[in-house]
């Protein structure tokens, strides 16, 4: 195998280093500063004429360089700003921290260039954590270490898969033996890919900056996984870098409020609409449906509902037929309460949660169809009857019907309307108040827990869950993207930037956009902006935050801009043309306001009301 690698190196040695994509171009004036975002391109804006389906390229230098062999690597800090070469005289490893996760590959320049015989004693590695990456079997390179491919002018590139990119935070240069002659590392960089998508949403919380960091980290996690043909589900290549429709539900939800890239969302709905696109996961088939209703709520695209009516009907008919039958669900989440990934996915808690999801999907589809003048209403009674029958089966004739419902099924019971408001206190006290059990192991499932807490009127508890279940990843463990799984218990034994525990099915992804639904929750509940009629024909501004909060929400008509400051006793709302917005804050409820700027002094309003 080594001989094959050496031969490949020798053949490629005369070729110039060519990148697969053009460097950043078609740029517009930069957007506002967002100091709490980890995204180095958070201010970058592209012109409307740029090809939004073509990836572009930018380079990133290391923010810190270290080595356990200082006698072998002289002046490594010169690689931080690219001003000085690193002289290599002996064996060892150079560790480059690029500061944030990127969709990237590692490139290093050596002078004088190494010949094939010398190159086999030099390896490059990349990783999401501070050790060379190692993942499960499946991709071309489960171990993210290899002999680099050599190009002209001393350039070396680590090529681990045909697409080149991996999830990269750290790079490593391994010199395996003392070189026959000293050489210099004159450059080390990440070549980073990005889809030209602008940030059009914003979220700001001056008194709770962690929430703001969480919003921007969620958006960055999604952005790194955007591809020309839709939404990626995992950044690092571990053999499952395919579209996962359930994962996309949270990713697309985040994109609705952070990017407003409706065209790409619709493209992803289209490419994941086939009967087999849910990867055999029953819940994922229904999350695709909920993604469609989210898309309709935000865009008002009636044609999409009409086009997919039969597709949705087939999903709902199938879901009703297997609910409460003990059928194999294949997967319901990573938490051991719902089967620990693929270990026991049809566990009783998963079955109960799935039945609640079926009721929710039936009701949500009825709701959007009733708002769609182009849609046939003929199947509505059938769906309503199915939801009522499943509700009756769940509730039975006992007031203690929900005693066996754990966190996930209880969340589903609230979101589906199977649980009634007078039952919320008991459910909340039993399943949602323990700091030990509140965090579902996969932050994908936590998105629905947050929604349930809001539906029960428990906003303070929901914010505490956000801070506990998402916050430590970035505030204590130095993550710059959200992870596939997380437990607060990890804080007892994991150091910042270190490898994290693996799951039952393989190595854990540290840039997993299924964890990003929290951004939509923060926008819709904490900031309090959500459509009340499709496409934001009307919308609500009802912040649940007790402290100052502001933000921007993209709509098909333009940007909604809102600010609520209870400490200064005023509220401000800009309504874009084509929309009407209603303010609901303590002491003030307005009618639906027309397009334009609206400001109210809350103290004056309260005095007038008195």
């Amino acid at each position: 195998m080594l001989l094959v690698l050496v031969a490949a190196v020798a053949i490629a040695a005369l070729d110039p280093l060519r990148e697969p994509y053009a460097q950043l171009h078609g740029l517009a004036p930069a957007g506002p500063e967002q100091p709490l975002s980890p995204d180095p391109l958070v201010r970058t804006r592209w012109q409307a004429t740029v090809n939004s389906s073509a990836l572009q390229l930018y380079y990133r230098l290391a923010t810190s360089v270290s080595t356990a062999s200082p006698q072998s690597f002289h002046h490594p800090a010169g690689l931080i700003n690219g001003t000085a070469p690193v002289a290599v005289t002996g064996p060892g490893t150079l560790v480059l921290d690029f500061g944030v996760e990127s969709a990237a590959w590692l490139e290093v320049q050596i002078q004088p260039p190494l010949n094939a015989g010398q190159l086999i004693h030099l390896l490059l590695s990349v990783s999401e954590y501070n050790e060379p990456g190692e993942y499960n079997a499946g991709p071309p390179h489960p171990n993210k270490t290899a002999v680099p491919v050599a190009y002209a002018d001393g350039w070396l590139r680590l090529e681990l898969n045909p697409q080149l990119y991996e999830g990269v935070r750290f790079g490593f240069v391994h010199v395996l033996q003392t070189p026959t002659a000293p050489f210099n590392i004159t450059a080390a960089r990440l070549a980073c890919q990005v889809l030209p998508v602008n940030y059009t949403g914003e979220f700001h919380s001056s008194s709770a900056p962690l929430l703001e960091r969480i919003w921007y980290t969620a958006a960055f996690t999604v952005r790194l996984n955007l591809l020309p043909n839709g939404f990626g589900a995992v950044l690092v290549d571990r053999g499952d870098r395919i579209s996962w429709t359930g994962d996309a539900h949270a990713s697309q939800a985040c994109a609705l409020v952070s990017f407003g890239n409706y065209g790409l969302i619709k493209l992803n709905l289209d490419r994941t609409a086939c009967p087999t696109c849910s990867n055999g996961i029953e819940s994922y088939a229904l999350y695709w449906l909920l993604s469609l209703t989210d898309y309709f709520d935000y865009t008002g695209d009636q044609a999409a509902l009409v086009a997919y009516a039969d597709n949705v009907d087939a999903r709902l008919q199938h879901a009703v037929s297997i609910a409460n039958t003990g059928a194999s669900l294949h997967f319901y989440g990573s938490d051991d309460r719902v089967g620990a990934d693929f270990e026991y996915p049809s566990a009783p808690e998963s079955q109960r949660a799935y039945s609640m999801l079926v009721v929710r999907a039936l009701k949500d589809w009825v709701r959007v169809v009733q708002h769609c003048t182009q849609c046939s209403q003929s199947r509505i009674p059938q769906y309503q009857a199915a939801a009522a029958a499943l509700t009756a089966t769940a509730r039975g004739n006992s007031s203690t019907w929900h005693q066996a419902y754990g966190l996930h099924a209880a969340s589903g019971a609230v979101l589906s309307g199977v649980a009634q408001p007078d039952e919320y206190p008991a459910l909340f006290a039993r399943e949602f108040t323990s700091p030990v059990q509140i965090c579902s192991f996969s932050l994908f499932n936590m998105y629905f827990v947050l929604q349930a807490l809001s539906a029960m009127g428990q906003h303070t508890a929901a914010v505490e869950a956000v801070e506990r279940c998402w916050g430590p990843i970035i505030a204590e463990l130095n993550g710059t993207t959200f992870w596939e799984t997380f437990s607060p218990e990890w804080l007892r034994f994991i150091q910042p930037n270190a490898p994290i525990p693996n799951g039952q099915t393989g190595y854990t992804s540290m840039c997993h956009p299924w964890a990003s639904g929290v951004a939509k929750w923060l926008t819709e509940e904490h900031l309090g902006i959500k459509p009340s009629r499709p496409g934001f024909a009307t919308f609500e501004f009802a912040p649940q935050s007790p402290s100052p909060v502001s933000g921007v929400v993209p709509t098909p008509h333009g940007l909604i801009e809102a600010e609520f400051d209870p400490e200064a006793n005023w509220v401000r709302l800009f309504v874009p043309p084509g929309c009407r917005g209603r303010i609901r804050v303590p002491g003030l409820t307005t009618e639906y306001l027309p397009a334009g700027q609206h400001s109210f002094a809350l103290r004056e309003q309260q005095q007038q009301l008195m």
Side-chain angles (χ1 to χ4, degrees):
M1 183 65 179
L2 187 58
L3 293 176
V4 173
L5 288 171
V6 171
V9 166
I11 293 171
L14 298 179
D15 294 338
L17 179 64
R18 293 189 178 94
E19 304 293 7
Y21 314 116
Q23 291 194 49
L24 297 180
H25 59 277
L27 301 181
E33 296 278 358
Q34 305 295 354
L36 297 184
S37 170
D39 189 345
L41 299 186
V42 67
R43 299 186 63 206
T44 302
R45 298 291 183 270
W46 283 270
Q47 300 170 9
T49 55
V50 76
N51 183 357
S52 61
S53 63
L55 290 165
Q56 297 187 16
L57 187 85
Y58 64 99
Y59 294 111
R60 184 165 181 83
L61 300 180
T63 58
S64 69
V65 182
S66 61
T67 181
S69 305
Q71 72 281 3
S72 298
F73 299 94
H74 305 277
H75 310 297
L79 293 177
I80 294 176
N81 53 20
T83 58
V86 176
V88 180
T89 59
T93 295
L94 200 62
V95 182
L96 303 101
D97 181 357
F98 291 94
V100 298
E101 180 109 0
S102 298
W105 51 92
L106 179 62
E107 298 176 345
V108 174
Q109 188 179 41
I110 303 292
Q111 293 294 337
L114 302 181
N115 60 42
Q118 295 169 315
L119 191 56
I120 63 173
H121 301 299
L122 185 142
L123 301 176
L124 299 182
S125 303
V126 292
S127 183
E128 297 183 296
Y129 44 85
N130 60 8
E131 298 176 9
E134 182 178 346
Y135 293 88
N136 36 274
H141 284 275
N143 297 327
K144 304 306 177 184
T145 301
V147 175
V149 177
Y151 291 91
D153 300 322
W155 280 105
L156 308 175
R157 181 161 67 193
L158 182 60
E159 301 183 3
L160 297 175
N161 62 69
Q163 296 80 36
L164 292 181
Y165 78 94
E166 294 277 354
V168 183
R169 164 73 184 270
F170 290 87
F172 306 82
V173 180
H174 310 282
V175 179
L176 304 183
Q177 66 180 36
T178 300
T180 55
F183 61 86
N184 294 320
I185 302 175
T186 56
R189 66 192 186 189
L190 289 185
C192 308
Q193 68 181 39
V194 62
L195 198 69
V197 173
N198 293 333
Y199 282 85
T200 53
E202 298 179 29
F203 177 87
H204 302 289
S205 179
S206 58
S207 60
L210 179 58
L211 297 183
E212 186 171 337
R213 287 183 65 190
I214 288 170
W215 191 96
Y216 280 100
T217 302
F220 183 43
T221 303
V222 170
R223 189 188 202 188
L224 285 176
N225 286 272
L226 294 180
L227 297 168
N229 63 348
F231 286 67
V234 55
L235 192 59
V236 68
D237 186 12
R238 58 181 192 181
D240 61 346
R241 208 155 63 175
I242 61 174
S243 176
W244 295 86
T245 55
D247 298 28
H249 176 60
S251 304
Q252 292 165 180
C254 175
L256 285 169
V257 299
S258 52
F259 309 119
N261 53 339
Y262 308 126
L264 191 66
I265 292 171
K266 177 58 164 56
L267 177 64
N268 206 60
L269 285 168
D270 292 343
R271 72 186 281 252
T272 57
C274 68
T276 60
C277 289
S278 298
N279 312 107
I281 301 174
E282 298 294 350
S283 60
Y284 276 23
L286 296 181
Y287 289 133
W288 180 92
L289 187 161
L290 295 183
S291 293
L292 179 61
T293 62
D294 275 355
Y295 169 77
F296 176 71
D297 287 339
Y298 272 66
T299 66
D301 184 354
Q302 295 196 34
L305 296 193
V306 173
Y308 281 121
D310 290 342
N311 182 306
V312 169
D313 182 66
R315 292 170 189 267
L316 291 175
Q317 297 286 0
H318 173 72
V320 170
S321 74
I322 66 169
N324 299 316
T325 67
S328 174
L329 302 177
H330 196 58
F331 175 88
Y332 209 85
S334 299
D335 195 287
D336 56 5
R337 289 168 285 188
V338 287
D341 291 321
F342 300 96
E343 295 297 302
Y344 183 30
S346 298
E349 172 74 354
S350 302
Q351 294 286 351
R352 288 186 283 267
Y354 178 73
S355 295
M356 297 300 97
L357 178 60
V358 176
V359 176
R360 182 186 182 188
L362 286 161
K363 290 182 174 180
D364 211 40
W365 182 245
V366 167
R367 176 184 63 81
V368 297
V369 169
Q370 289 174 332
H371 283 91
C372 175
T373 59
Q374 300 175 18
C375 296
S376 170
Q377 312 286 306
S378 62
R379 293 167 175 165
I380 286 180
Q382 175 187 351
Y383 299 145
Q384 291 173 325
L390 288 171
T391 299
T393 298
R395 294 183 62 86
N397 296 314
S398 172
S399 61
T400 60
W401 63 273
H402 55 74
Q403 285 297 317
Y405 283 53
L407 177 70
H408 302 82
S411 295
V414 171
L415 295 174
S416 64
V418 172
Q420 298 301 300
D422 63 346
E423 295 168 321
Y424 292 171
L427 283 170
F428 174 71
R430 191 185 73 233
E431 298 299 332
F432 296 87
T433 56
S434 168
V436 175
Q437 74 175 26
I438 189 60
C439 293
S440 183
F441 191 45
S442 58
L443 294 177
F444 170 74
N445 296 88
M446 271 306 300
Y447 176 39
F448 310 112
V449 175
L450 293 182
Q451 292 176 333
L453 284 166
S454 290
M456 291 188 289
Q458 299 289 345
H459 186 75
T460 298
V463 170
E464 291 173 352
V466 171
E467 293 174 336
R468 178 170 179 78
C469 306
W470 277 268
I473 294 175
I474 56 177
E476 299 185 57
L477 296 178
N478 204 29
T480 60
T481 50
F482 286 128
W483 303 344
E484 183 176 15
T485 54
F486 173 71
S487 169
E489 296 299 309
W490 291 358
L491 297 174
R492 294 186 300 151
F493 56 87
I494 293 178
Q495 297 301 311
N497 299 325
I500 60 177
N502 299 318
Q504 287 86 342
T505 56
Y507 289 76
T508 303
S509 157
M510 298 178 76
C511 183
H512 220 70
W514 80 348
S516 295
V518 63
K520 186 168 184 276
W521 182 86
L522 285 167
T523 292
E524 290 193 341
E525 301 297 338
H526 201 67
L527 176 59
I529 295 178
K530 66 178 74 171
S532 50
R533 289 182 57 198
F536 286 90
T538 62
F539 67 90
E540 306 293 318
F541 175 36
Q544 299 300 303
S545 172
S547 54
V549 64
S550 64
V552 177
V553 179
T555 81
H557 308 281
L559 301 178
I560 297 170
E561 301 177 20
E563 184 172 4
F564 171 57
D565 190 341
E567 297 171 2
N569 285 292
W570 66 282
V571 61
R572 176 183 64 84
L573 177 66
F574 175 77
V575 180
C579 303
R580 290 184 299 135
R582 179 169 64 180
I583 299 172
R584 291 190 294 118
V585 297
L588 173 66
T589 298
T590 70
E591 299 297 325
Y592 280 106
L593 303 169
Q597 184 74 52
H598 306 276
S599 299
F600 298 91
L602 298 179
R603 187 174 291 118
E604 294 176 4
Q605 291 294 322
Q606 292 168 351
Q607 291 172 350
Q608 291 175 11
L609 291 170
M610 294 173 63

